[in-house]
């Protein structure tokens, strides 16, 4: 797959995440998530509706920050931070999505609680260049 297509796939996923998680534009998000969306996350109910219902249930302070993004064929991995969703700590997630015909059709994730400076044995933040405040 050429670099132009991979760059386009990355941009599509970032726009999809921004539309749903930060803008909370559910009608707009429907153009990114397939009606037949397959969910593998243990934290989210099945299908597109399960994901949208989860986001609707979270406080309006929810914020998603993307970091490193990789593309390989139809698979995109985004390393990001979820904050402001009502948990005592932020989540650092590696979200893996599969695209088909310009839509997100499948999702997996790996999620960790974000460590503070005091908790980090490496002395380095889990996301970005600085520890969250």
């Amino acid at each position: 797959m050429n670099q132009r297509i991979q760059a386009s796939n990355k941009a599509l996923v970032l726009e999809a995440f921004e539309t749903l998680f930060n803008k909370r534009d559910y009608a707009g998000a429907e153009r990114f998530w397939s009606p037949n969306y397959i969910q593998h996350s243990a934290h989210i109910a099945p299908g597109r509706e399960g994901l949208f219902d989860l986001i609707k249930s979270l406080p309006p302070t929810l914020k998603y920050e993307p970091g490193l993004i990789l593309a390989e064929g139809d698979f995109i991995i985004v390393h990001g931070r979820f904050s402001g969703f009502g948990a005592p700590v932020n989540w650092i997630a590696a979200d893996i999505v599969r695209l088909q015909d310009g839509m997100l059709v499948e999702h997996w994730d790996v999620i960790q609680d974000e460590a503070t400076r005091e908790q980090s044995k490496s002395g380095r933040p889990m996301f970005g260049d600085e520890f969250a405040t």
Side-chain angles (χ1 to χ4, degrees):
M1 180 170 282
N2 70 39
Q3 290 181 346
R4 185 180 55 72
I5 292 172
Q6 289 180 347
S8 176
N9 286 347
K10 289 178 189 179
L12 183 146
V13 170
L14 290 175
E15 185 179 356
F17 281 27
E18 177 69 18
T19 300
L20 180 61
F21 300 131
N22 293 331
K23 293 181 180 175
R24 303 263 181 123
D25 177 358
Y26 301 102
E30 286 182 1
R31 74 177 200 255
F32 296 106
W33 271 270
S34 169
N36 302 314
Y37 183 66
I38 300 167
Q39 183 61 259
H40 294 275
S41 176
H43 301 281
I44 307 170
R48 179 172 77 182
E49 294 75 23
L51 175 61
F52 288 12
D53 287 346
L54 171 67
I55 303 307
K56 288 174 185 176
S57 76
L58 296 175
T61 53
L62 170 70
K63 181 180 177 188
Y64 177 75
E65 301 168 73
L68 177 67
I69 183 166
L70 304 168
E72 179 66 36
D74 293 330
F75 291 90
I76 309 297
I77 301 172
V78 185
H79 184 248
R81 175 191 282 140
F82 289 92
S83 60
F85 58 95
V89 296
N90 298 335
W91 278 358
I92 304 301
D95 286 288
I96 305 156
V97 295
R98 183 172 65 86
L99 300 177
Q100 183 177 340
D101 299 326
M103 296 190 87
L104 285 76
V105 296
E106 199 162 6
H107 171 262
W108 300 259
D109 58 31
V110 180
I111 299 174
Q112 293 179 284
D113 289 346
E114 184 172 18
T116 64
R117 180 182 308 276
E118 296 75 28
Q119 295 167 328
S120 175
K121 293 187 186 214
S122 71
R124 299 186 182 275
M126 297 172 68
F127 182 81
D129 297 328
E130 298 179 10
F131 286 91
T133 55

